[in-house]
Amino acid sequence: MKRVLIFVVLLLAVFCLPPKASAATGETSMQLQATVSADSSCQVKINATVYKDTPGAFYFSVPQDAVSITLNGVSVPTLSEGSVKLISLSDQFGTGTGSFPFTVSYTLRDVVHKTDNGTLELRLPLLCSNAYRVDYLRFSLTLPDAVDTRPTFQSGYYQSNIEKDIVYSMNKATITGSTAKVLVDHETLLLTLQVTEEMFPQPILEIFSSDIDQVGMLVCAVLALLYWIWKLRCLPPRRKDSVSLPEGLNAGLLGTALSLQSADLSLMVFHWAKLGYLRIKPERERVYLLKRMDMGNERSDFEQKIFGNLFTKSDKADCSGYRYALLSQRIKSAQPPVRHLVDKRSGNRRIFRALSSLCGLFVGLGTGLALGFGSAFQSFIGILFAFLGYFTAHHIQNCVPYLFLRKGRQLFFSSILAIVWVFFSLLAGRLLVGIIFVALEFLAGLMACFGGRRTEDGKDAMAQILGFRRYINRVSRESLEAISKQNPDYFFDLMPYALALGVSSTFARQFGSKPFRECPYIDFPLRDTVTAAKWNKIMEETLEKMDASRQQVPLREFSKKVQSLTR
């Protein structure tokens, strides 16, 4: 009896449930006009009227790959949801009830696709899962040329059975039709049509739009790799455990010995100050160098020449002045003294880097064409991004040596460029290509970083520098305390090298709160003892002031050119 009662109660509950409410909105009419171009892009215009009998927010759905979306002629933001983008009609009409006519326009970049058997197929979404029923749908499709194949239709709810409820006619290059039944809410409807390559010249399309970046990037990457194998191939640098650097190596030449970079004048000055040739005197925004003694044959001819140029007029040099800036710029652009480090058979790194950077040119062209799709300035945007791609590639490669050397601004600037490029790739729908491009350029920078083939002296110097860098970066506090008891100036002796190798902050932290009073080579007014971390900050700020002077050179040269033109 108990089971019978339960059954009766459940039966009553089923039959007494309130009837399911119909959709809150109903699209009373919808007219879609689509025009397909020979480049497989499609311009879509939809005139629709939505009837609402209950208040609330409401939306209109368009395909996920739709771009240049407008509502009543005005560009509008969209919200991605699954396979569609949602246009908020509430922002235009409010949340009230009534009848709301509107016009939506958008562009589909590529509606022609190659099937598995090699034929071309046009796929046009007529309905995109709108949240209300469709009482009436009329559509018109215009093609670049006449077509003799008949379209097929696929519904999300009725599948292929929807074809018996669609009436259409064909007139040369135009297909028009309408639905003969009400379509349920969240319905999808896809028109499919077999087309020919004469109507859509696919090979030209692929070469000059969709694959230009990938093909160009691949070709340049292969050429760069072949050149590296032929002229620059070398094993990864080994690291030799070391608590010192090669004898006589200047801190400003560590980048030269490690990655064949130009000499760093500011770090050379720090090294000379440590050796007693001069003292460094920071004063507010300026830095002065006070000569203490002449430089003899104990240093290289390269260093003697630069030291002499610093103090040609007096025993005091202004690191914030134009003379120092010009000398620094000349050293930066001069050929570094690396003949004894590089094997004569080694190729030119610039050729390898140029070939690698050309990848960025092709990727930039493809990205720019994708971003400017449908715009009158598409070609201009493509060319602009081609140059931006080359520029980005060059700077991503440039940042690699700074993983082992004093960071400066190059590493930060290159990181920002890489992030911005990936963002543009995402906007262009080429995220994977953008990520691969950034990764390839970083790899190219790593392959060129250590300068190709080295002599035995070059290999030993590189291994010893990397080992010494690891030592500074990992030396324990106990070891430093023991060494400092024997050499109280050990911290100051190693700081020029730590600054050059980009590990000065880590090195200074290892000294903890141990007080330091005066630096043997920097005249900095101190009221009390300071920690190693504070001295590190003072030295870094002093280097920044000295480096800042280089910015005067292009400004002064530009000013001279302007004055000569105005005379």
Side-chain angles (χ1 to χ4, degrees), residues 27 57-67 69-71 74-92 102 104-106 127-132 186-188:
E27 187 176 335
F58 63 120
Y59 302 86
F60 186 80
S61 303
V62 297
Q64 180 65 250
D65 56 346
V67 296
I69 303 169
T70 64
L71 174 62
V74 179
S75 179
V76 290
T78 58
L79 175 67
S80 294
E81 185 177 279
S83 61
V84 298
K85 291 179 179 177
L86 300 179
I87 303 172
S88 175
L89 299 177
S90 309
D91 294 343
Q92 180 84 12
F102 59 90
V104 170
S105 299
Y106 55 86
L127 280 180
C128 298
S129 188
N130 284 299
Y132 31 78
H186 294 95
E187 176 66 294
T188 60

Side-chain angles (χ1 to χ4, degrees), residues 35-43 107-111 200 373:
T35 303
V36 183
S37 303
D39 63 357
S40 84
S41 64
C42 180
Q43 308 293 326
T107 300
L108 298 175
R109 289 178 171 168
D110 193 3
V111 294
F200 298 98
F373 186 84

